[in-house]
Amino acid sequence: MPNSVDRPSLSRSIEDYLKVIYKLELESGSAQTSAIADALAIAPPSVSGMVKRLADAELVTHVPYRGVELTEAGRRQALRMLRRHRILESYLIGHLGYDWDDVDREAERLEHAVSDDLVERMAVKLGNPTHDPHGAPIPSAAGTIDPTRYLPMTEIEVGHAGRFRMIGDADPERLRFIASLGLRPGAEFRVLDRQPFNGPVTIELDGDRKEVIGFALASSLQCEQLEEPTLP
Amino acid sequence: MPNSVDRPSLSRSIEDYLKVIYKLELESGSAQTSAIADALAIAPPSVSGMVKRLADAELVTHVPYRGVELTEAGRRQALRMLRRHRILESYLIGHLGYDWDDVDREAERLEHAVSDDLVERMAVKLGNPTHDPHGAPIPSAAGTIDPTRYLPMTEIEVGHAGRFRMIGDADPERLRFIASLGLRPGAEFRVLDRQPFNGPVTIELDGDRKEVIGFALASSLQCEQLEEPTLP
DNA sequence: AACTAAATTTATGCCAGCCTAAATTAGCCC
DNA sequence: GGGCTAATTTAGGCTGGCATAAATTTAGTT
Ligand SMILES: [Mn+2]
Ligand SMILES: [Mn+2]
Ligand SMILES: [Mn+2]
Ligand SMILES: [Mn+2]
């Protein structure tokens, strides 16, 4: 029996579009033209054009003026790209001495050039990790992904302990700063204070060190709330 | 001081053209349109068009109807691509379990996606190899390359010992067959017989095993002649 | 219900990179 | 030197992926 479905292999552009659409659907429920344009640094009319092609290829359904939604095939490809990207980042850090702030650029290009075979070899060398260095879940080769959602650090209640789980990987400076605080995915902390009006969050780390984190930054730290508050 | 020269980074197509032109110049002294077209599996008029763009970019000089020659900038880029390709092949075999017959396809895509930084990290992990798994010399990061030329096995004289040094990497089947004979770059042999009229070559391996190798195949094995013949 | 601002699409155009068909040139033979 | 052949270039066309400017739709305001 020959290959049942001949997929013509997607272009680099299409692969990046699918990833972005997946992330937008995940974060805000829908993927609108301007959001895609922003994320890819492309003009909105160009996105309209590509959306047409994606819809023709049945990777996406499009309701004009409303937005775009991944089809099952589109979602499968998006998850395949996320697996590639996250395995690559993990491998670059684990075996080639990269830091967590400089892997994204490299992976963003490599994800379009590696074969499935190479990705799986890297995954095996890494011991089939479930999360990448920034805490993001790595889809399985079969196309499933851990659906766990976390809370921004700003929503962990005062007095509670929390665990830092995940952070976006696109901003190297932010990653370096977070690392300089001693915060890595998995790190435990306790919220000592939250200032109102989008004010900073004060946390305690390693049982003694205090750090004050601005609202915008704290909002980008995806965390898990751990336990009931300790009583005074 | 800002970056002195802004190179716009070459396209995948251009990078492959430069590599092919370099190889053709090396093998036959010149690079003609049809030879480039053959090597890249592209129609000759397409090559004419690209040659024009390469000449505009001063990567190549073009004498119409005569052929094309790399400029210094073109040669530098070609060697940079060869370094990438050959370091990648070495790394895939050395650290990711690939065999020498299946690395070329992978490297052919990856060479356009890796950063210089990543290539150098791989080179360091490998101990800065000077030759790739097929015996081809790896250009230095500075752009120099071992100019040693070898002889086809068909030109090693009967009675002489020889050392197999290098083989083209594009044909997986040929590579598997050569490996099955126990021939790897570095392997020593003695020529027992050469048949005339482009006939086969008989060699002795490991001091006892005899193998008969057809002319076309033997011609593709680049070797070094080692010593004066042993006297009868 | 009409007006307005923002988002989106349509209309056009450009460039890279490929193609086929037709024209041109080079090299060779007599 | 004329004519043949093979190689090469020119002409014209197509697709993917981007852009800007203009038209359209949506949604919110009054
Ligand atoms: Mn990333
Ligand atoms: Mn990418
Ligand atoms: Mn190769
Ligand atoms: Mn290539």
Side-chain angles (χ1 to χ4, degrees):
Chain A
M1 210 187 302
N3 269 338
S4 47
V5 180
D6 249 355
R7 28 186 147 136
S9 114
L10 310 175
S11 72
R12 174 181 173 153
S13 278
I14 289 179
E15 289 176 340
D16 281 335
Y17 270 87
L18 294 177
K19 274 199 323 178
V20 159
I21 293 168
Y22 178 89
K23 284 183 189 171
L24 289 171
E25 279 186 16
L26 195 70
E27 286 165 15
S28 62
S30 77
Q32 293 180 309
T33 300
S34 56
I36 299 170
D38 275 5
L40 292 172
I42 278 173
S46 303
V47 173
S48 280
M50 178 60 92
V51 160
K52 192 157 302 167
R53 270 175 286 156
L54 293 176
D56 287 349
E58 296 188 317
L59 293 163
V60 121
T61 56
H62 181 217
V63 182
Y65 291 95
R66 275 302 153 77
V68 109
E69 204 172 323
L70 292 177
T71 62
E72 197 43 45
R75 182 184 142 90
R76 194 168 57 240
Q77 292 297 326
L79 287 171
R80 177 166 158 269
M81 294 312 296
L82 284 182
R83 175 170 176 81
R84 291 161 160 252
H85 185 101
R86 291 171 183 172
I87 291 288
L88 277 163
E89 290 189 342
S90 303
Y91 188 88
L92 291 172
I93 289 178
H95 288 84
L96 285 160
Y98 276 76
D99 283 325
W100 82 334
D101 59 293
D102 59 4
V103 284
D104 187 60
R105 283 181 62 86
E106 194 81 42
E108 201 57 56
R109 280 177 284 103
L110 285 171
E111 62 190 0
H112 312 287
V114 292
S115 67
D116 287 338
D117 180 32
L118 176 51
V119 173
E120 296 319 311
R121 284 174 194 263
M122 289 181 173
V124 167
K125 289 281 179 198
L126 290 163
N128 291 307
T130 59
H131 294 266
D132 83 1
H134 313 99
I138 300 178
S140 72
T144 63
I145 187 169
D146 175 356
T148 310
R149 308 297 299 266
Y150 301 108
L151 299 170
M153 182 179 273
T154 49
E155 288 177 24
I156 308 288
E157 288 162 60
V158 173
H160 280 255
R163 195 183 299 282
F164 170 44
R165 283 298 191 186
M166 179 172 152
I167 184 172
D169 61 0
D171 183 347
E173 279 191 65
R174 185 175 65 188
L175 290 171
R176 280 193 294 274
F177 181 73
I178 291 300
S180 78
L181 294 182
L183 271 172
R184 287 281 177 156
E188 217 174 306
F189 59 88
R190 180 171 299 281
V191 177
L192 300 182
D193 186 49
R194 290 193 320 200
Q195 289 292 316
F197 306 110
N198 294 347
V201 177
T202 305
I203 62 174
E204 182 178 71
L205 282 164
D206 309 327
D208 59 338
R209 204 155 41 85
K210 287 186 184 131
E211 298 287 354
V212 183
I213 304 181
F215 184 85
L217 186 57
S219 301
S220 76
L221 303 179
Q222 298 185 258
C223 303
E224 181 184 0
Q225 181 162 296
L226 284 183
E227 50 178 89
E228 291 306 305
T230 46
L231 299 174
Chain B
M1 211 186 303
N3 269 339
S4 46
V5 180
D6 250 355
R7 29 188 147 139
S9 114
L10 309 175
S11 71
R12 172 176 177 159
S13 279
I14 288 180
E15 289 176 340
D16 281 334
Y17 270 86
L18 294 177
K19 274 200 323 179
V20 159
I21 293 168
Y22 177 89
K23 285 183 190 170
L24 289 172
E25 279 186 16
L26 195 69
E27 286 165 16
S28 62
S30 77
Q32 292 180 308
T33 300
S34 54
I36 299 170
D38 275 4
L40 292 173
I42 278 174
S46 304
V47 173
S48 279
M50 177 59 92
V51 159
K52 192 157 300 166
R53 270 175 287 155
L54 293 176
D56 286 348
E58 296 189 317
L59 293 163
V60 120
T61 56
H62 181 216
V63 181
Y65 292 96
R66 276 302 156 75
V68 109
E69 205 172 322
L70 292 176
T71 62
E72 198 43 45
R75 183 185 142 89
R76 196 168 57 241
Q77 293 297 326
L79 287 171
R80 176 166 158 269
M81 295 311 297
L82 284 183
R83 176 172 176 80
R84 291 163 161 254
H85 186 101
R86 291 171 183 173
I87 292 287
L88 277 163
E89 291 190 342
S90 304
Y91 188 87
L92 291 172
I93 290 179
H95 288 84
L96 285 160
Y98 276 77
D99 282 325
W100 82 333
D101 60 292
D102 59 4
V103 284
D104 186 59
R105 284 182 62 88
E106 194 81 44
E108 200 57 57
R109 281 177 285 102
L110 286 171
E111 64 190 359
H112 312 287
V114 292
S115 67
D116 287 337
D117 180 31
L118 176 50
V119 173
E120 295 320 311
R121 284 175 195 263
M122 289 182 174
V124 167
K125 289 281 180 200
L126 290 163
N128 292 305
T130 59
H131 293 266
D132 83 1
H134 313 99
I138 300 178
S140 72
T144 63
I145 187 169
D146 176 357
T148 310
R149 308 297 299 266
Y150 301 108
L151 298 170
M153 183 180 273
T154 49
E155 288 179 22
I156 308 286
E157 288 162 59
V158 173
H160 280 254
R163 193 183 301 280
F164 170 44
R165 283 298 192 185
M166 178 172 152
I167 184 173
D169 61 0
D171 182 347
E173 279 190 66
R174 184 174 66 186
L175 290 171
R176 280 193 294 272
F177 181 73
I178 291 300
S180 77
L181 295 181
L183 270 172
R184 288 280 177 157
E188 217 173 305
F189 59 88
R190 181 171 300 279
V191 177
L192 301 182
D193 186 48
R194 291 194 319 200
Q195 289 292 318
F197 306 109
N198 293 349
V201 177
T202 306
I203 62 174
E204 183 179 70
L205 282 165
D206 308 328
D208 59 337
R209 203 155 42 86
K210 288 189 183 128
E211 298 287 354
V212 181
I213 305 180
F215 184 84
L217 187 57
S219 300
S220 76
L221 304 179
Q222 299 186 257
C223 303
E224 181 184 0
Q225 181 161 296
L226 284 181
E227 49 178 88
E228 291 307 305
T230 45
L231 299 175

